[in-house]
Amino acid sequence: MEKQESEEVKIPEVLPLLPVRDVVVYPFMIIPLFVGREMSVKAVDSALAGDRMILLATQHEIGEEDPTPDKIYEVGTVAMIMRMLKLPDGRVKILVQGLSKARITEYVTEKPFHTVRIEKMVDTPLQDVSLETEALVRTVREQLTKVIELGKQVSPEVMVILENIQDPGSMADLIASNLGLKVADAQLLLEMSEPVMRLTKVNEFLNREVELLSVQAKIQSAAREEMGKNQREYYLREQMRAIQQELGDGEGKEDIAEIRKAIETAKMPEASQKEALKQLNRLENMHPDAGEAGIIRTYLDWLVELPWSKSSRDSLDIVRAKEILDDDHYYLDKIKERILEFLAVRKLKKKMKGPILCFVGPPGVGKTSLGKSIARAMNRKFVRISLGGVRDEAEIRGHRRTYIGALPGRIIQGMKQAGTNNPVFMLDELDKLGYDYKGDPSSALLEVLDPEQNHSFSDHYINMPFNLSNVMFIATANQIDPVPSALRDRMEVINLAGYTEEEKLEIARRYLVPRQIKENGLKAKDISFEDDAIREIITKYTREAGLRNLEREIGTVCRKVARKVAEGGTRTVKIAAKNLHTFLGAPKYLREEDLDKNEVGVVNGLAWTPVGGEILHIEATLMKGKSALTLTGQLGDVMKESVQAAHSYIRAHADILHINPDFFQDHEIHVHVPAGAIPKDGPSAGVAMTTALVSVLTRIPVKKDVAMTGEVTLRGKVLPIGGLKEKILAAVRSRMRMVIIPEQNKKDLEDIPAEILKKVKIVPVHDVSEVLKLALEKFPPPAPSTPKEPAKKPRSGEATPKVLMRPRKEISAGARG
């Protein structure tokens, strides 16, 4: 019998090799294997054709389809194929039993399958069972029992077999084959030939498995407890919801989860998110018909829709930005340069505060449209709010939620409209803000327009800080004077002067005419504007510093041509100066007639108006009568004081001007500034008033082609004025040869185009005597040849002439001298 068994287990030296994946087969182990690779199927067929023995060796990598000898472990298990079943998909299922461990000593063939020469491996014989070995066997059994108790799935038959095994090597192989070890660990055990050492290693693996299963059990227990708690809460909430629905209290609470999700995705600051969740919890526990529920819901809607952390990416291509600004606007070089500087700094420094600019200029010069171009050049959103007529502080800061119908202020509303936290935000008509008993809106803007404070702007409605430091604020105003000084100090003021005639002509060519042709349904072949026609519209049909009326008149011409085209006209209509009146009628504005000769007491003064500069013909005349100084032409207080200062200067310098000091006692002086219906004010007509009075008192004519501007002091000093560019443009339009300006205004000549300065001679002065030398036909005047009149004794109270003033009319739009 023993001889027969030994013959049955006799192992040949050369066997076919079956590489197996993700499993290590031990001796006496019975396991099913699926064989699908062609070379593996051929190895199985070869074994079945022989003595049914095959070597099972594990390959290093699971995904290797055609493993080479260096990719297969050297030690494997010789197995007997007990059964074989061919599957419909071409694979083979075999049932194998391990017989003995073997080492590969040589690969005999590799095609069509591996055949190897093997060397049988036998465990080291155990001399006797020591106490340590017996203790190790017991410990291993106990550890395996713990593993099974902690949830490890082990077949009961294995435990029965294990009770009857005393050999340490066989016990180690049996446990290792059922423990689910990693391939590397299982292969390590297979290659160990010392039974006690192998069992010791198995004991280490069991200890680790016990620890892992213990931790896993704790995690599962905690998860079950949490799951049970959550299920309990869910069950109770469902019961509460059912009860509320029965009572009619559950309506309107379906979207609480959606609001909670929206709060989480809004990425608010931590404090804001905490407040939002607090309000949401209040809403959740509140009856939907409660008065405060709608208020809280609206409040939460505002919170989740604000762009707390959403921003647009700036386009930092300086060249492209310059092209966009040049395409959208002609001239305005200073503003374009400032925007490009901001982009350059933004490109070099990632974190920077947004600038706060204030564009100041007359209507129609492109302040608002320039803001849109800046946003387009920077690839930012554009938001505009108009502040004209705003008189309530709550318009800026919002109302508190305690008021019915409360909403955030216009700043927060604009941020919601933009959808990003770094838009270009335009505050239009800043100088038109009002104030009343409800508060001062301009004071509320102090925090908005302060780069050191607006990172934590607090709206009364939101009642939490909102970061405005990334916003690029642009304010616009027609005049800077009405803007409070504290607010003005927080902004970088950029002045936009009116356009010159040449600039208007170029803008009309590039932008206005093509836009009006398109808006009125015409094509370029239907109408053409000649330059002289556009100049005629500029000078005789409009009077403005901007371009609105110019575009309106061009649109009128286009509409009339559109009618002709619609009626069947096919010829191109050419608009020239000679036929312009057929489209626009008689000219609306005619230039004030130029002086045809030098006259006594008539001076060309210069004035600034909101629509550009104007020439003022200041007239003075002398008549017999009581000592008096009469002023007419709706002059403001400052301009009246300028006449009085000029009068006092002349009386103080009567000897130099060769004027009899007693002359003023028997003569009345009348100063008039046409047009009389237009209010005028400002100190800059002082030199013109002085020149007119000196001319009329000395009877020396004033040069007709000289214009002047400047404030005068009692000492005869000429002080600087504003609006120089507009005044010089007015002088050029009136064909003046010379313009006299204060010496301190020479710096302002840089803002005036070079082609304008070529058309007129600019003479800076610092004293009235210089003005008189330039403006009068001759100066100083000759000494009088007639004897002086006897001086009359001045009557009491008449040492200073009386000033007869017409009542002042309060009209806002007027000229400033």
Side-chain angles (χ1 to χ4, degrees), residues 616-621 623 628-637 639-641 643-644 668-681 685 689 693 803-809:
L616 289 180
H617 293 320
I618 298 174
E619 302 174 351
T621 186
M623 62 200 89
L629 180 62
T630 304
L631 310 176
T632 56
Q634 283 215 48
L635 308 185
D637 291 341
M639 188 169 277
K640 292 173 184 176
E641 292 168 357
V643 181
Q644 292 174 340
E668 180 181 342
I669 300 174
H670 186 167
V671 177
H672 176 67
V673 184
I678 300 175
K680 310 165 191 73
D681 202 0
M689 298 286 189
L693 291 178
V803 180
L804 304 180
M805 300 181 182
R806 296 179 60 183
R808 181 184 180 189
K809 297 181 180 178

Side-chain angles (χ1 to χ4, degrees), residues 586-658:
K588 298 178 182 178
Y589 303 100
L590 296 176
R591 282 182 180 167
E592 200 164 340
E593 292 185 4
D594 297 332
L595 301 176
D596 21 352
K597 63 178 182 178
N598 298 344
E599 295 187 29
V600 173
V602 181
V603 179
N604 295 315
L606 295 173
W608 177 92
T609 71
V611 296
E614 291 289 340
I615 288 283
L616 289 180
H617 293 320
I618 298 174
E619 302 174 351
T621 186
L622 191 66
M623 62 200 89
K624 288 284 186 179
K626 296 179 181 179
S627 175
L629 180 62
T630 304
L631 310 176
T632 56
Q634 283 215 48
L635 308 185
D637 291 341
V638 177
M639 188 169 277
K640 292 173 184 176
E641 292 168 357
S642 294
V643 181
Q644 292 174 340
H647 186 266
S648 299
Y649 170 80
I650 294 170
R651 291 192 62 186
H653 297 79
D655 54 341
I656 299 175
L657 299 173
H658 298 158

Side-chain angles (χ1 to χ4, degrees), residues 572-591:
T572 301
V573 179
K574 293 184 178 180
I575 311 299
K578 60 184 179 182
N579 67 344
L580 187 62
H581 66 279
T582 61
F583 297 94
L584 296 180
K588 298 178 182 178
Y589 303 100
L590 296 176
R591 282 182 180 167

Side-chain angles (χ1 to χ4, degrees), residues 524-542:
K525 65 181 181 62
D526 296 328
I527 185 173
S528 67
F529 282 83
E530 295 184 2
D531 289 354
D532 60 348
I534 299 177
R535 289 182 189 275
E536 195 83 358
I537 297 175
I538 293 171
T539 56
K540 295 186 178 180
Y541 291 88
T542 63

Side-chain angles (χ1 to χ4, degrees), residues 316-318 342-350 352:
L316 302 177
D317 188 342
I318 311 296
F342 167 73
L343 287 178
V345 175
R346 177 73 176 79
K347 188 173 184 177
L348 299 176
K349 184 179 180 182
K350 301 301 180 186
M352 64 174 294

Side-chain angles (χ1 to χ4, degrees), residues 1 33 81 93 181 188 247 292 302 515 534 593 606 616 618 630 634 651 753:
M1 182 76 177
L33 296 174
I81 300 177
K93 181 179 181 182
L181 299 174
L188 177 65
L247 295 174
E292 197 176 354
W302 273 100
R515 183 162 62 202
I534 299 177
E593 292 185 4
L606 295 173
L616 289 180
I618 298 174
T630 304
Q634 283 215 48
R651 291 192 62 186

Side-chain angles (χ1 to χ4, degrees), residues 303-315:
L303 285 184
V304 299
E305 291 176 7
L306 285 177
W308 297 93
S309 57
K310 184 179 178 182
S311 60
S312 59
R313 186 174 182 180
D314 286 348
S315 174

